[in-house]
Amino acid sequence: PASSLFRQIATGAHPGVLHLTRPANDKTKSFKTVLTVDEIRRVSRFLSMTSHDGSYRVVIVDPADDMNTNAANALLKNLEEPPARTLFILIVHAPGSLLPTIRSRCQMVRLAPLAADELMAVLENVEPPPPDDPAARAALAERAGGSARNAILLTQYGGLEIAGALDTLVAARKPDIAGAHRLAEAVAGRDQAIQFDIFNRRALDMLSEASSEAALSGDLARAKTLSEAWQEALNTISEAETYNLDKKQHALTMIDRLNSAMRM
């Protein structure tokens, strides 16, 4: 962090590094749902300029899963004939989502989730640091799934409390209407975009985990039902972001959908 090079890259000011991700949506105060072709077109402009010191130029697409078809085809043109001393780094959560023609031009490096002790070592360098209580640390590591980003969001934005509240609502034998409204209000505020995202991710994870457990136990019918519920939930989340739908109503609907799916 004391290095000027580090600060340049971290702030996006380094002339040899282009970092592309989903652009901000000024209307919703969040991020757009896809990485658009307009963002990818910045690659051509970036590579048309001479390197400031003759060194490598680096293009980071993060994550490349978020590219729509037009964006992927635009990137492919750059990958087919890249200029000398140019490095493309495509961060991908689901390699199968990329065009085969893009995958064939890449060297794949698989990154495994961090172990619990490695995750805590990373978190020691951020604010706030991880909790001192061993049980709380274990809960944080489990929720984060080996992801430093997830762990930071969970500790800085009340993610553990949001996930815990959702788990409690779904596990309850009887619907807790008041509790559902409290959680929906907590994640649906104007400045609660990150909390809203944490809520949605936890909802998807619950369905995914339950589907996997059902499949491993041989209950394929339940696994199929939960898998379909996961896809429906994902579509609902995408629609809520795309059309800027009422977030509180979305959260209440998601809680009801989880209750129905998990009790089948």
Side-chain angles (χ1 to χ4, degrees), residues 4-148:
S4 61
L5 178 61
F6 173 95
R7 292 194 296 272
Q8 275 189 307
I9 295 175
T11 59
H14 193 286
V17 178
L18 177 63
H19 180 209
L20 300 177
T21 189
R22 287 183 295 161
N25 187 327
D26 295 332
K27 292 183 179 179
T28 62
K29 304 302 181 183
S30 60
F31 292 95
K32 293 184 178 179
T33 56
V34 295
L35 185 53
T36 62
V37 67
D38 289 336
E39 287 295 301
I40 298 301
R41 283 173 179 155
R42 293 173 56 194
V43 175
S44 297
R45 295 195 295 270
F46 173 71
L47 297 180
S48 67
M49 297 183 290
T50 304
S51 175
H52 74 292
D53 58 358
S55 61
Y56 268 84
R57 287 169 294 182
V58 181
V59 178
I60 304 170
V61 184
D62 177 20
D65 313 65
D66 289 345
M67 291 189 296
N68 59 24
T69 302
N70 290 336
N73 286 324
L75 180 65
L76 180 59
K77 293 179 181 179
N78 295 114
L79 293 177
E80 287 174 336
E81 297 181 8
R85 301 179 69 79
T86 301
L87 177 65
F88 288 86
I89 300 176
L90 310 185
I91 299 173
V92 185
H93 303 296
S97 67
L98 288 181
L99 293 175
T101 44
I102 289 181
R103 290 203 307 272
S104 67
R105 287 167 171 78
C106 296
Q107 177 182 345
M108 186 176 294
V109 179
R110 294 188 180 277
L111 303 179
L114 296 176
D117 57 340
E118 295 170 332
L119 186 61
M120 293 305 145
V122 172
L123 295 180
E124 292 292 351
N125 297 312
V126 300
E127 291 294 337
D132 294 325
D133 179 57
R137 283 185 169 229
L140 175 59
E142 182 180 358
R143 297 281 193 207
S147 165

Side-chain angles (χ1 to χ4, degrees), residues 58-262:
V58 181
V59 178
I60 304 170
V61 184
D62 177 20
D65 313 65
D66 289 345
M67 291 189 296
N68 59 24
T69 302
N70 290 336
N73 286 324
L75 180 65
L76 180 59
K77 293 179 181 179
N78 295 114
L79 293 177
E80 287 174 336
E81 297 181 8
R85 301 179 69 79
T86 301
L87 177 65
F88 288 86
I89 300 176
L90 310 185
I91 299 173
V92 185
H93 303 296
S97 67
L98 288 181
L99 293 175
T101 44
I102 289 181
R103 290 203 307 272
S104 67
R105 287 167 171 78
C106 296
Q107 177 182 345
M108 186 176 294
V109 179
R110 294 188 180 277
L111 303 179
L114 296 176
D117 57 340
E118 295 170 332
L119 186 61
M120 293 305 145
V122 172
L123 295 180
E124 292 292 351
N125 297 312
V126 300
E127 291 294 337
D132 294 325
D133 179 57
R137 283 185 169 229
L140 175 59
E142 182 180 358
R143 297 281 193 207
S147 165
R149 176 185 183 276
N150 288 347
I152 291 170
L153 292 178
L154 289 170
T155 55
Q156 293 187 355
Y157 295 93
L160 286 174
E161 291 78 5
I162 292 169
L166 185 56
D167 288 358
T168 300
L169 287 171
V170 175
R173 293 185 177 182
K174 295 182 179 180
D176 181 358
I177 297 176
H181 277 267
R182 285 194 298 270
L183 177 58
E185 290 174 356
V187 302
R190 179 176 296 179
D191 299 321
Q192 304 296 103
I194 293 177
Q195 288 84 346
F196 187 67
D197 183 60
I198 291 172
F199 169 87
N200 284 325
R201 286 180 181 273
R202 180 55 190 160
L204 291 174
D205 286 347
M206 292 177 73
L207 291 169
S208 176
E209 291 165 5
S211 178
S212 295
E213 290 175 4
L216 291 172
S217 67
D219 190 348
L220 300 185
R222 175 172 169 78
K224 181 176 183 293
T225 298
L226 289 166
S227 179
E228 291 172 347
W230 180 92
Q231 186 61 57
E232 291 174 0
L234 182 65
N235 292 340
T236 300
I237 292 169
S238 178
E239 290 172 358
E241 293 177 346
T242 301
Y243 301 110
N244 196 24
L245 303 179
D246 184 272
K247 290 184 177 180
K248 180 179 178 181
Q249 187 57 51
H250 165 87
L252 290 172
T253 300
M254 188 66 71
I255 293 170
D256 184 62
R257 177 171 292 169
L258 282 171
N259 280 324
S260 298
M262 302 292 273

